[in-house]
PDB file of all heavy atoms in Angstrom:
ATOM      1  N   GLN A 126      -3.362  -2.232  20.349  1.00  0.00           N
ATOM      2  CA  GLN A 126      -3.748  -3.560  19.770  1.00  0.00           C
ATOM      3  C   GLN A 126      -2.772  -4.657  20.052  1.00  0.00           C
ATOM      4  O   GLN A 126      -3.241  -5.815  20.101  1.00  0.00           O
ATOM      5  CB  GLN A 126      -4.058  -3.323  18.342  1.00  0.00           C
ATOM      6  CG  GLN A 126      -5.164  -2.451  18.043  1.00  0.00           C
ATOM      7  CD  GLN A 126      -5.355  -2.291  16.531  1.00  0.00           C
ATOM      8  OE1 GLN A 126      -4.744  -1.521  15.851  1.00  0.00           O
ATOM      9  NE2 GLN A 126      -6.189  -3.043  15.886  1.00  0.00           N
ATOM     10  N   ILE A 127      -1.542  -4.268  20.414  1.00  0.00           N
ATOM     11  CA  ILE A 127      -0.617  -5.308  20.665  1.00  0.00           C
ATOM     12  C   ILE A 127       0.193  -5.341  21.920  1.00  0.00           C
ATOM     13  O   ILE A 127       0.693  -6.403  22.431  1.00  0.00           O
ATOM     14  CB  ILE A 127       0.450  -5.453  19.520  1.00  0.00           C
ATOM     15  CG1 ILE A 127       1.337  -4.289  19.375  1.00  0.00           C
ATOM     16  CG2 ILE A 127      -0.214  -5.823  18.074  1.00  0.00           C
ATOM     17  CD1 ILE A 127       2.631  -4.500  18.505  1.00  0.00           C
ATOM     18  N   GLU A 128       0.457  -4.171  22.458  1.00  0.00           N
ATOM     19  CA  GLU A 128       1.395  -4.044  23.640  1.00  0.00           C
ATOM     20  C   GLU A 128       1.033  -4.758  24.895  1.00  0.00           C
ATOM     21  O   GLU A 128       1.899  -5.439  25.488  1.00  0.00           O
ATOM     22  CB  GLU A 128       1.679  -2.593  23.949  1.00  0.00           C
ATOM     23  CG  GLU A 128       2.492  -1.762  22.855  1.00  0.00           C
ATOM     24  CD  GLU A 128       2.703  -0.499  23.298  1.00  0.00           C
ATOM     25  OE1 GLU A 128       2.283   0.166  24.405  1.00  0.00           O
ATOM     26  OE2 GLU A 128       3.337   0.370  22.559  1.00  0.00           O
ATOM     27  N   GLY A 129      -0.119  -4.692  25.317  1.00  0.00           N
ATOM     28  CA  GLY A 129      -0.493  -5.217  26.721  1.00  0.00           C
ATOM     29  C   GLY A 129       0.216  -4.265  27.692  1.00  0.00           C
ATOM     30  O   GLY A 129       0.443  -3.081  27.488  1.00  0.00           O
ATOM     31  N   ALA A 130       0.635  -4.904  28.786  1.00  0.00           N
ATOM     32  CA  ALA A 130       1.295  -4.047  29.991  1.00  0.00           C
ATOM     33  C   ALA A 130       0.542  -2.938  30.253  1.00  0.00           C
ATOM     34  O   ALA A 130       1.276  -1.735  30.288  1.00  0.00           O
ATOM     35  CB  ALA A 130       2.680  -3.890  29.424  1.00  0.00           C
ATOM     36  N   ALA A 131      -0.751  -2.918  30.333  1.00  0.00           N
ATOM     37  CA  ALA A 131      -1.595  -1.691  30.416  1.00  0.00           C
ATOM     38  C   ALA A 131      -1.362  -0.872  31.589  1.00  0.00           C
ATOM     39  O   ALA A 131      -1.579   0.334  31.668  1.00  0.00           O
ATOM     40  CB  ALA A 131      -3.040  -2.184  30.397  1.00  0.00           C
ATOM     41  N   THR A 132      -0.756  -1.420  32.728  1.00  0.00           N
ATOM     42  CA  THR A 132      -0.611  -0.668  33.963  1.00  0.00           C
ATOM     43  C   THR A 132       0.989  -0.590  34.306  1.00  0.00           C
ATOM     44  O   THR A 132       1.329  -0.100  35.392  1.00  0.00           O
ATOM     45  CB  THR A 132      -1.363  -1.148  35.153  1.00  0.00           C
ATOM     46  OG1 THR A 132      -0.896  -2.521  35.311  1.00  0.00           O
ATOM     47  CG2 THR A 132      -2.778  -1.117  34.871  1.00  0.00           C
ATOM     48  N   GLU A 133       1.832  -0.919  33.345  1.00  0.00           N
ATOM     49  CA  GLU A 133       3.300  -0.986  33.783  1.00  0.00           C
ATOM     50  C   GLU A 133       3.874   0.334  33.519  1.00  0.00           C
ATOM     51  O   GLU A 133       3.560   1.201  32.578  1.00  0.00           O
ATOM     52  CB  GLU A 133       4.025  -1.973  32.799  1.00  0.00           C
ATOM     53  CG  GLU A 133       4.115  -3.388  33.535  1.00  0.00           C
ATOM     54  CD  GLU A 133       4.709  -4.407  32.749  1.00  0.00           C
ATOM     55  OE1 GLU A 133       5.872  -4.227  32.125  1.00  0.00           O
ATOM     56  OE2 GLU A 133       4.073  -5.412  32.667  1.00  0.00           O
ATOM     57  N   ASN A 134       4.918   0.623  34.420  1.00  0.00           N
ATOM     58  CA  ASN A 134       5.743   1.755  34.201  1.00  0.00           C
ATOM     59  C   ASN A 134       5.088   3.139  34.156  1.00  0.00           C
ATOM     60  O   ASN A 134       5.361   3.944  33.476  1.00  0.00           O
ATOM     61  CB  ASN A 134       6.686   1.662  33.051  1.00  0.00           C
ATOM     62  CG  ASN A 134       7.726   0.515  33.118  1.00  0.00           C
ATOM     63  OD1 ASN A 134       8.144   0.226  34.216  1.00  0.00           O
ATOM     64  ND2 ASN A 134       8.058  -0.127  32.021  1.00  0.00           N
ATOM     65  N   GLY A 135       3.949   3.172  34.981  1.00  0.00           N
ATOM     66  CA  GLY A 135       3.296   4.476  35.111  1.00  0.00           C
ATOM     67  C   GLY A 135       2.232   4.643  34.032  1.00  0.00           C
ATOM     68  O   GLY A 135       1.531   5.748  34.068  1.00  0.00           O
ATOM     69  N   ARG A 136       1.935   3.697  33.059  1.00  0.00           N
ATOM     70  CA  ARG A 136       0.972   3.919  32.184  1.00  0.00           C
ATOM     71  C   ARG A 136      -0.435   3.985  32.875  1.00  0.00           C
ATOM     72  O   ARG A 136      -0.662   3.267  33.618  1.00  0.00           O
ATOM     73  CB  ARG A 136       0.918   2.844  31.062  1.00  0.00           C
ATOM     74  CG  ARG A 136      -0.126   3.014  30.025  1.00  0.00           C
ATOM     75  CD  ARG A 136      -0.140   1.811  28.977  1.00  0.00           C
ATOM     76  NE  ARG A 136      -1.154   2.029  27.904  1.00  0.00           N
ATOM     77  CZ  ARG A 136      -2.438   1.765  28.048  1.00  0.00           C
ATOM     78  NH1 ARG A 136      -2.855   1.405  29.229  1.00  0.00           N
ATOM     79  NH2 ARG A 136      -3.243   1.910  27.045  1.00  0.00           N
ATOM     80  N   THR A 137      -1.205   5.090  32.471  1.00  0.00           N
ATOM     81  CA  THR A 137      -2.672   5.093  32.979  1.00  0.00           C
ATOM     82  C   THR A 137      -3.664   4.877  31.833  1.00  0.00           C
ATOM     83  O   THR A 137      -3.278   4.791  30.682  1.00  0.00           O
ATOM     84  CB  THR A 137      -2.773   6.480  33.729  1.00  0.00           C
ATOM     85  OG1 THR A 137      -2.515   7.400  32.765  1.00  0.00           O
ATOM     86  CG2 THR A 137      -1.840   6.620  34.818  1.00  0.00           C
ATOM     87  N   PRO A 138      -4.901   4.781  32.134  1.00  0.00           N
ATOM     88  CA  PRO A 138      -5.785   4.419  31.157  1.00  0.00           C
ATOM     89  C   PRO A 138      -5.968   5.366  29.996  1.00  0.00           C
ATOM     90  O   PRO A 138      -5.898   6.604  30.200  1.00  0.00           O
ATOM     91  CB  PRO A 138      -7.208   4.228  31.880  1.00  0.00           C
ATOM     92  CG  PRO A 138      -6.784   3.988  33.196  1.00  0.00           C
ATOM     93  CD  PRO A 138      -5.545   4.709  33.514  1.00  0.00           C
ATOM     94  N   SER A 139      -6.072   4.858  28.734  1.00  0.00           N
ATOM     95  CA  SER A 139      -6.491   5.563  27.541  1.00  0.00           C
ATOM     96  C   SER A 139      -7.997   5.445  27.427  1.00  0.00           C
ATOM     97  O   SER A 139      -8.627   4.624  28.124  1.00  0.00           O
ATOM     98  CB  SER A 139      -5.746   5.174  26.375  1.00  0.00           C
ATOM     99  OG  SER A 139      -6.374   3.884  25.926  1.00  0.00           O
ATOM    100  N   ILE A 140      -8.634   6.193  26.447  1.00  0.00           N
ATOM    101  CA  ILE A 140      -9.987   5.966  26.271  1.00  0.00           C
ATOM    102  C   ILE A 140     -10.344   4.539  25.883  1.00  0.00           C
ATOM    103  O   ILE A 140     -11.407   3.995  26.155  1.00  0.00           O
ATOM    104  CB  ILE A 140     -10.469   6.939  25.093  1.00  0.00           C
ATOM    105  CG1 ILE A 140      -9.826   6.863  23.792  1.00  0.00           C
ATOM    106  CG2 ILE A 140     -10.465   8.342  25.718  1.00  0.00           C
ATOM    107  CD1 ILE A 140     -10.403   7.717  22.755  1.00  0.00           C
ATOM    108  N   TRP A 141      -9.372   3.805  25.219  1.00  0.00           N
ATOM    109  CA  TRP A 141      -9.673   2.439  24.951  1.00  0.00           C
ATOM    110  C   TRP A 141      -9.673   1.513  26.137  1.00  0.00           C
ATOM    111  O   TRP A 141     -10.412   0.491  26.252  1.00  0.00           O
ATOM    112  CB  TRP A 141      -8.775   1.924  23.800  1.00  0.00           C
ATOM    113  CG  TRP A 141      -9.514   2.227  22.385  1.00  0.00           C
ATOM    114  CD1 TRP A 141      -9.290   3.288  21.671  1.00  0.00           C
ATOM    115  CD2 TRP A 141     -10.609   1.378  21.880  1.00  0.00           C
ATOM    116  NE1 TRP A 141     -10.056   3.313  20.638  1.00  0.00           N
ATOM    117  CE2 TRP A 141     -10.847   2.129  20.644  1.00  0.00           C
ATOM    118  CE3 TRP A 141     -11.271   0.320  22.171  1.00  0.00           C
ATOM    119  CZ2 TRP A 141     -12.041   1.642  19.727  1.00  0.00           C
ATOM    120  CZ3 TRP A 141     -12.277  -0.141  21.362  1.00  0.00           C
ATOM    121  CH2 TRP A 141     -12.616   0.520  20.172  1.00  0.00           C
ATOM    122  N   ASP A 142      -8.926   1.802  27.175  1.00  0.00           N
ATOM    123  CA  ASP A 142      -8.970   0.996  28.422  1.00  0.00           C
ATOM    124  C   ASP A 142     -10.328   1.249  29.009  1.00  0.00           C
ATOM    125  O   ASP A 142     -10.922   0.283  29.519  1.00  0.00           O
ATOM    126  CB  ASP A 142      -7.819   1.518  29.334  1.00  0.00           C
ATOM    127  CG  ASP A 142      -6.430   1.300  28.808  1.00  0.00           C
ATOM    128  OD1 ASP A 142      -5.974   2.091  28.064  1.00  0.00           O
ATOM    129  OD2 ASP A 142      -5.844   0.120  29.122  1.00  0.00           O
ATOM    130  N   THR A 143     -10.733   2.498  29.001  1.00  0.00           N
ATOM    131  CA  THR A 143     -12.027   2.769  29.673  1.00  0.00           C
ATOM    132  C   THR A 143     -13.177   2.079  28.802  1.00  0.00           C
ATOM    133  O   THR A 143     -14.085   1.355  29.393  1.00  0.00           O
ATOM    134  CB  THR A 143     -12.236   4.245  29.701  1.00  0.00           C
ATOM    135  OG1 THR A 143     -11.084   4.792  30.345  1.00  0.00           O
ATOM    136  CG2 THR A 143     -13.437   4.623  30.500  1.00  0.00           C
ATOM    137  N   PHE A 144     -13.158   2.476  27.551  1.00  0.00           N
ATOM    138  CA  PHE A 144     -14.312   1.932  26.696  1.00  0.00           C
ATOM    139  C   PHE A 144     -14.428   0.465  26.739  1.00  0.00           C
ATOM    140  O   PHE A 144     -15.548  -0.069  26.706  1.00  0.00           O
ATOM    141  CB  PHE A 144     -14.003   2.405  25.179  1.00  0.00           C
ATOM    142  CG  PHE A 144     -15.064   2.203  24.277  1.00  0.00           C
ATOM    143  CD1 PHE A 144     -16.206   2.908  24.222  1.00  0.00           C
ATOM    144  CD2 PHE A 144     -14.841   1.312  23.201  1.00  0.00           C
ATOM    145  CE1 PHE A 144     -17.139   2.730  23.289  1.00  0.00           C
ATOM    146  CE2 PHE A 144     -15.877   1.019  22.317  1.00  0.00           C
ATOM    147  CZ  PHE A 144     -17.031   1.753  22.316  1.00  0.00           C
ATOM    148  N   SER A 145     -13.275  -0.308  26.693  1.00  0.00           N
ATOM    149  CA  SER A 145     -13.329  -1.763  26.576  1.00  0.00           C
ATOM    150  C   SER A 145     -13.859  -2.290  27.942  1.00  0.00           C
ATOM    151  O   SER A 145     -14.382  -3.484  27.817  1.00  0.00           O
ATOM    152  CB  SER A 145     -11.988  -2.459  26.331  1.00  0.00           C
ATOM    153  OG  SER A 145     -11.026  -1.992  27.296  1.00  0.00           O
ATOM    154  N   ARG A 146     -14.058  -1.549  28.922  1.00  0.00           N
ATOM    155  CA  ARG A 146     -14.532  -2.015  30.150  1.00  0.00           C
ATOM    156  C   ARG A 146     -15.992  -1.785  30.259  1.00  0.00           C
ATOM    157  O   ARG A 146     -16.727  -2.156  31.227  1.00  0.00           O
ATOM    158  CB  ARG A 146     -13.802  -1.428  31.399  1.00  0.00           C
ATOM    159  CG  ARG A 146     -12.429  -2.179  31.464  1.00  0.00           C
ATOM    160  CD  ARG A 146     -11.721  -1.680  32.683  1.00  0.00           C
ATOM    161  NE  ARG A 146     -10.704  -2.539  32.913  1.00  0.00           N
ATOM    162  CZ  ARG A 146      -9.592  -2.744  32.081  1.00  0.00           C
ATOM    163  NH1 ARG A 146      -9.530  -2.155  30.962  1.00  0.00           N
ATOM    164  NH2 ARG A 146      -8.640  -3.718  32.343  1.00  0.00           N
ATOM    165  N   MET A 147     -16.577  -0.999  29.300  1.00  0.00           N
ATOM    166  CA  MET A 147     -17.899  -0.541  29.367  1.00  0.00           C
ATOM    167  C   MET A 147     -18.790  -1.771  28.836  1.00  0.00           C
ATOM    168  O   MET A 147     -18.441  -2.235  27.758  1.00  0.00           O
ATOM    169  CB  MET A 147     -18.359   0.585  28.466  1.00  0.00           C
ATOM    170  CG  MET A 147     -17.692   1.806  29.023  1.00  0.00           C
ATOM    171  SD  MET A 147     -18.201   3.246  27.841  1.00  0.00           S
ATOM    172  CE  MET A 147     -17.288   4.580  28.502  1.00  0.00           C
ATOM    173  N   PRO A 148     -19.730  -2.151  29.531  1.00  0.00           N
ATOM    174  CA  PRO A 148     -20.569  -3.446  29.185  1.00  0.00           C
ATOM    175  C   PRO A 148     -21.022  -3.349  27.683  1.00  0.00           C
ATOM    176  O   PRO A 148     -21.653  -2.206  27.367  1.00  0.00           O
ATOM    177  CB  PRO A 148     -21.651  -3.550  30.175  1.00  0.00           C
ATOM    178  CG  PRO A 148     -21.193  -2.790  31.403  1.00  0.00           C
ATOM    179  CD  PRO A 148     -20.214  -1.717  30.759  1.00  0.00           C
ATOM    180  N   GLY A 149     -20.866  -4.353  26.887  1.00  0.00           N
ATOM    181  CA  GLY A 149     -21.399  -4.404  25.641  1.00  0.00           C
ATOM    182  C   GLY A 149     -20.676  -3.598  24.476  1.00  0.00           C
ATOM    183  O   GLY A 149     -21.040  -3.655  23.361  1.00  0.00           O
ATOM    184  N   LYS A 150     -19.629  -2.981  24.925  1.00  0.00           N
ATOM    185  CA  LYS A 150     -18.905  -2.224  23.736  1.00  0.00           C
ATOM    186  C   LYS A 150     -17.967  -3.029  22.995  1.00  0.00           C
ATOM    187  O   LYS A 150     -17.830  -2.731  21.799  1.00  0.00           O
ATOM    188  CB  LYS A 150     -18.193  -0.948  24.477  1.00  0.00           C
ATOM    189  CG  LYS A 150     -19.008  -0.066  25.167  1.00  0.00           C
ATOM    190  CD  LYS A 150     -20.077   0.673  24.183  1.00  0.00           C
ATOM    191  CE  LYS A 150     -20.733   1.765  24.864  1.00  0.00           C
ATOM    192  NZ  LYS A 150     -21.836   2.301  24.086  1.00  0.00           N
ATOM    193  N   VAL A 151     -17.421  -3.964  23.656  1.00  0.00           N
ATOM    194  CA  VAL A 151     -16.362  -4.706  22.839  1.00  0.00           C
ATOM    195  C   VAL A 151     -16.770  -6.234  22.969  1.00  0.00           C
ATOM    196  O   VAL A 151     -17.103  -6.733  24.084  1.00  0.00           O
ATOM    197  CB  VAL A 151     -14.859  -4.524  23.422  1.00  0.00           C
ATOM    198  CG1 VAL A 151     -13.931  -5.517  22.854  1.00  0.00           C
ATOM    199  CG2 VAL A 151     -14.477  -3.054  23.293  1.00  0.00           C
ATOM    200  N   HIS A 152     -16.656  -6.827  21.862  1.00  0.00           N
ATOM    201  CA  HIS A 152     -16.917  -8.389  21.822  1.00  0.00           C
ATOM    202  C   HIS A 152     -16.357  -9.120  23.052  1.00  0.00           C
ATOM    203  O   HIS A 152     -15.223  -9.029  23.285  1.00  0.00           O
ATOM    204  CB  HIS A 152     -16.464  -8.891  20.496  1.00  0.00           C
ATOM    205  CG  HIS A 152     -16.562 -10.299  20.365  1.00  0.00           C
ATOM    206  ND1 HIS A 152     -17.784 -10.973  19.925  1.00  0.00           N
ATOM    207  CD2 HIS A 152     -15.743 -11.390  20.657  1.00  0.00           C
ATOM    208  CE1 HIS A 152     -17.558 -12.278  19.918  1.00  0.00           C
ATOM    209  NE2 HIS A 152     -16.414 -12.678  20.326  1.00  0.00           N
ATOM    210  N   ASN A 153     -17.198  -9.795  23.708  1.00  0.00           N
ATOM    211  CA  ASN A 153     -16.714 -10.875  24.688  1.00  0.00           C
ATOM    212  C   ASN A 153     -16.102  -9.920  25.865  1.00  0.00           C
ATOM    213  O   ASN A 153     -15.464 -10.702  26.689  1.00  0.00           O
ATOM    214  CB  ASN A 153     -15.675 -11.700  24.100  1.00  0.00           C
ATOM    215  CG  ASN A 153     -15.295 -12.911  24.990  1.00  0.00           C
ATOM    216  OD1 ASN A 153     -16.270 -13.430  25.547  1.00  0.00           O
ATOM    217  ND2 ASN A 153     -14.069 -13.237  25.026  1.00  0.00           N
TER     218      ASN A 153
END
Side-chain angles (χ1 to χ4, degrees):
Q126 293 179 276
I127 63 165
E128 284 180 2
T132 56
E133 267 177 48
N134 293 327
R136 184 183 179 281
T137 57
S139 73
I140 54 176
W141 270 98
D142 296 84
T143 308
F144 184 75
S145 59
R146 285 178 167 68
M147 293 179 184
K150 297 296 187 192
V151 173
H152 173 85
N153 195 39

